[in-house]
Amino acid sequence: MQKQEKIVQMFDSIAPTYDITNRILSFGIDKSWRKRAVDFVLEKYSHHSINIADIACGTGDMISLWDKRAKLINIVIKSIAGIDPSKGMLEVARKKFIKNEKVRLECAYADNTGLESDWADIISISYGIRNVSEREKALCEFNRVLKNGGYLLVLEFTKRSKKGFMANLRDFYLLKMLPKIGGFISKNKNAYEYLPQSIENFLDKEQFKSELKKAGFQVEIIRSFSFDICSMFVARKVKELDDFSMLD
């Protein structure tokens, strides 16, 4: 079985307890990270009508935030597309949005979303890009789906380039505490042992910034939340890519 398929199966297995586990493991702070990131990008679209694609949407946390926060500042969202390869995650999400006609959920991978070219004004992916095996192809796909000048928002746990007290504290929590707590709640310890491994196997901020640039994006801001636990990348599409060779 391919690595990507194993990751999808893992998320299928933890889908029923995913929301409550996230809240407990992050002490609820992840909601404030998401909210600040959404508000930052929405400010760029005041008095506009927009389309949004949320990739690796999981159970729909970001979709809910896009919808609620846009209404607060009178931005009209015409359509929100949630894309995720996990049928288990999408099953949970569909129950949340069953009466929301603007939300459509599709089972697809990040590197082949099935969305129309130049459709989205905003693409978001939260804590999902490190789980994408074909990451460079996915970034190229985001370029294709985004309109020229559109924004890509990435929230992620990046690998630390420097060590120190806070880095050691975070690593202790991720390596020692998180698998035990997550495993107890979800009854799947392996899934929550995977999380710190996936962070360690991911990139640091500068490496990911370089990948975004190769994929036709200009990074406008990189911001760290909560002592560098979480990183926000906001990048604007400035170049069309004709094919994947642009990433070589």
Side-chain angles (χ1 to χ4, degrees), residues 23-108:
R23 297 294 93 83
I24 292 172
L25 290 175
S26 71
F27 307 101
I29 299 172
D30 68 301
K31 294 183 74 172
S32 70
W33 298 337
R34 295 172 193 266
K35 188 181 296 184
R36 289 166 67 184
V38 164
D39 287 351
F40 184 88
V41 176
L42 284 176
E43 285 178 1
K44 300 177 181 296
Y45 288 94
S46 181
H47 307 297
H48 284 71
S49 298
I50 58 176
N51 292 323
I52 298 174
D54 187 44
I55 312 299
C57 66
T59 61
D61 274 359
M62 285 295 283
I63 295 174
S64 294
L65 269 179
W66 284 121
D67 194 26
K68 291 175 183 176
R69 305 303 288 182
K71 288 176 181 175
L72 291 176
I73 53 177
N74 297 315
I75 293 175
V76 176
I77 297 180
K78 293 179 289 185
S79 180
I80 307 177
I83 306 295
D84 200 290
S86 168
K87 293 179 181 179
M89 289 289 188
L90 290 175
E91 184 178 341
V92 176
R94 285 195 173 95
K95 293 175 183 177
K96 297 179 181 179
F97 303 111
I98 192 168
K99 295 182 179 180
N100 193 330
E101 295 181 355
K102 76 179 73 170
V103 175
R104 56 171 167 141
L105 301 170
E106 302 290 343
C107 188

Side-chain angles (χ1 to χ4, degrees), residues 27-238:
F27 307 101
I29 299 172
D30 68 301
K31 294 183 74 172
S32 70
W33 298 337
R34 295 172 193 266
K35 188 181 296 184
R36 289 166 67 184
V38 164
D39 287 351
F40 184 88
V41 176
L42 284 176
E43 285 178 1
K44 300 177 181 296
Y45 288 94
S46 181
H47 307 297
H48 284 71
S49 298
I50 58 176
N51 292 323
I52 298 174
D54 187 44
I55 312 299
C57 66
T59 61
D61 274 359
M62 285 295 283
I63 295 174
S64 294
L65 269 179
W66 284 121
D67 194 26
K68 291 175 183 176
R69 305 303 288 182
K71 288 176 181 175
L72 291 176
I73 53 177
N74 297 315
I75 293 175
V76 176
I77 297 180
K78 293 179 289 185
S79 180
I80 307 177
I83 306 295
D84 200 290
S86 168
K87 293 179 181 179
M89 289 289 188
L90 290 175
E91 184 178 341
V92 176
R94 285 195 173 95
K95 293 175 183 177
K96 297 179 181 179
F97 303 111
I98 192 168
K99 295 182 179 180
N100 193 330
E101 295 181 355
K102 76 179 73 170
V103 175
R104 56 171 167 141
L105 301 170
E106 302 290 343
C107 188
Y109 287 90
D111 61 345
N112 186 17
T113 63
L115 296 172
E116 305 156 32
S117 297
D118 303 315
W119 176 81
D121 298 278
I122 298 169
I123 288 179
S124 60
I125 180 166
S126 302
Y127 315 110
I129 195 67
R130 74 182 187 284
N131 298 318
V132 177
S133 297
E134 298 287 348
R135 186 175 58 250
E136 292 186 341
K137 288 185 178 180
L139 294 179
C140 188
E141 172 74 349
F142 300 167
N143 180 290
R144 180 188 69 79
V145 173
L146 267 178
K147 297 176 182 177
N148 244 343
Y151 279 89
L152 171 63
L153 167 64
V154 180
L155 282 170
E156 193 51 273
F157 302 111
T158 53
K159 185 163 62 176
R160 289 178 180 270
S161 54
K162 296 180 180 179
K163 290 294 183 181
F165 175 75
M166 291 308 301
N168 292 335
L169 186 62
R170 183 188 84 156
D171 290 347
F172 173 79
Y173 178 71
L174 289 175
L175 291 170
K176 302 297 183 182
M177 302 302 296
L178 185 144
K180 292 179 181 178
I181 300 169
F184 176 78
I185 299 169
S186 68
K187 310 304 179 188
N188 188 334
K189 187 178 179 182
N190 288 339
Y192 288 92
E193 287 176 338
Y194 164 80
L195 173 61
Q197 293 169 6
S198 67
I199 297 171
E200 187 59 30
N201 293 331
F202 190 52
L203 310 173
D204 63 27
K205 295 184 185 70
E206 288 303 315
Q207 289 170 329
F208 187 54
K209 179 180 177 180
S210 178
E211 283 197 358
L212 288 168
K213 184 178 179 180
K214 289 179 182 177
F217 294 98
Q218 177 180 306
V219 176
E220 292 195 353
I221 188 169
I222 301 173
R223 180 170 293 174
S224 296
F225 297 137
S226 302
F227 302 104
D228 208 23
I229 295 174
C230 167
S231 299
M232 176 184 78
F233 300 81
V234 177
R236 187 166 59 91
K237 176 181 171 180
V238 294

